[in-house]
Amino acid sequence: MAEEKNRHIAFICSKGSLDMALPALIMGWAALGNGVDVTIFFTFWGLDIINKKRVDHLEIAPVANTSFKFSLMGLPTGNLGIPQLMGALPGMTAFATAFMKKKIEDLEVPPVREYLQMLVDAGAKLYACKMTVDMMGLTMEDFVEGIQDIVTAGDFIDMTEGAQIIFI
Amino acid sequence: MPVREIAGKTVEFDGEGFMVNPDDWTPEIAEELAKEEGIDQLTDLHWKVIEFCRSDFQTRGEPPTLRRITKAGGVPTKELFALFPKGPAKKVARIAGLGKPQGCV
């Protein structure tokens, strides 16, 4: 009988905001820790996560984010949201990002750049989407260390045969 | 597997195979549990990880996360994953006689 194939989870990261970067990093790390193979495919805005110039500057925008409530800051304001007009003021995205980063850091969650390195060191395979790379005029030089290759959507489908796929 | 004989001691385990009482742990038990996890011989580097986990548990009251083992324990990620192949998270805690890790990182 053939050897049983190891469980394999593939994440597709299509968004470049901080809150959309963390899920694949956290679940990918947990999967590796439990002996599961991990592949991550970065496409469209998700390329920001592995872009050297962007990785340390991923943000969270309060505008159009219905979960952004004053209560996040510990105020007893229930469901009262931060008004969209206020969220649109200059500096509000930077403020919201700094605020959330602090909350994340307090949980001993590493910064995105370090997280990527941990995943690579633990054996995750990271790939960039060829079509987006071409569209944005990027090369391997633009990415943090440890990215395996720039591959097509078809390559990704081939290399994830039998894997569980999570789209983020 | 609630209670069983291991390395000459009668030890209680939970449903997932973690020791219920970390004080029951002995290095001999660790060697037996390691074999069950597919690690035939515990090297000095394995012991460095196990001893860090045990002492960290003594001071903090919970099994360390993998990142804590690498950061505070000084064992690089690559090395940790090579020492405990196919998933160090549960293996390390189990061999060190600690409960299932509760942290996500």
Side-chain angles (χ1 to χ4, degrees):
Chain A
M1 210 170 101
E3 199 184 326
E4 203 179 319
K5 226 179 153 194
N6 198 34
R7 188 174 166 195
H8 181 192
I9 303 182
F11 297 90
I12 301 170
C13 290
S14 71
K15 302 285 201 305
S17 57
L18 181 61
D19 49 333
M20 294 303 257
L22 287 171
L25 302 176
I26 293 167
M27 286 189 282
W29 178 248
L32 292 162
N34 283 6
V36 176
D37 294 337
V38 171
T39 298
I40 311 182
F41 184 68
F42 296 92
T43 185
F44 227 94
W45 306 124
L47 281 184
D48 269 10
I49 301 169
I50 52 170
N51 187 321
K52 265 186 221 167
K53 295 199 180 81
R54 294 286 308 134
V55 61
D56 298 322
H57 305 282
L58 303 181
E59 297 167 297
I60 296 181
V63 171
N65 185 343
T66 53
S67 292
F68 239 94
K69 306 297 183 196
F70 281 111
S71 58
L72 273 175
M73 288 176 260
L75 300 172
T77 47
N79 279 310
L80 185 64
I82 295 173
Q84 293 296 291
L85 271 174
M86 195 170 151
L89 294 174
M92 275 304 282
T93 296
F95 169 75
T97 300
F99 178 77
M100 290 309 286
K101 272 192 175 172
K102 175 78 174 69
K103 273 183 126 45
I104 292 164
E105 196 185 303
D106 288 347
L107 294 175
E108 294 188 26
V109 175
V112 174
R113 185 187 287 269
E114 187 184 332
Y115 230 138
L116 288 169
Q117 189 61 53
M118 286 159 52
L119 286 157
V120 168
D121 286 349
K125 302 275 190 288
L126 276 46
Y127 297 95
C129 161
K130 180 161 192 316
M131 197 169 99
T132 322
V133 164
D134 290 347
M135 183 183 80
M136 296 183 175
L138 301 168
T139 68
M140 282 294 272
E141 291 294 298
D142 293 300
F143 300 132
V144 297
E145 272 179 45
I147 306 303
Q148 298 272 326
D149 203 356
I150 297 168
V151 300
T152 65
D155 292 334
F156 173 76
I157 297 298
D158 282 345
M159 65 177 74
T160 55
E161 185 179 347
Q164 295 164 304
I165 298 186
I166 301 177
F167 181 86
I168 301 167
Chain B
M1 48 168 114
V3 178
R4 66 184 174 110
E5 286 276 334
I6 183 163
K9 283 187 83 174
T10 307
V11 180
E12 193 181 348
F13 288 87
D14 69 14
E16 291 181 273
F18 294 93
M19 282 175 59
V20 172
N21 186 357
D23 293 336
D24 290 342
W25 181 91
T26 64
E28 292 74 27
I29 290 176
E31 280 167 12
E32 288 301 314
L33 290 173
K35 287 199 182 97
E36 291 174 17
E37 293 290 348
I39 301 164
D40 291 337
Q41 187 76 53
L42 289 173
T43 63
D44 288 351
L45 286 169
H46 287 105
W47 282 113
K48 182 181 169 188
V49 175
I50 294 166
E51 277 157 16
F52 168 77
C53 291
R54 292 214 41 103
S55 71
D56 198 57
F57 177 80
Q58 294 296 333
T59 49
R60 290 169 54 116
E62 59 182 77
T65 61
L66 290 182
R67 183 174 185 245
R68 196 167 158 75
I69 297 173
T70 62
K71 281 287 205 186
V75 182
T77 304
K78 266 186 201 169
E79 194 174 299
L80 183 59
F81 276 76
L83 286 169
F84 300 90
K86 299 206 77 177
K90 287 192 260 183
K91 282 187 187 184
V92 172
R94 196 164 169 264
I95 295 168
L98 308 173
K100 190 175 172 178
Q102 297 302 311
C104 292
V105 189

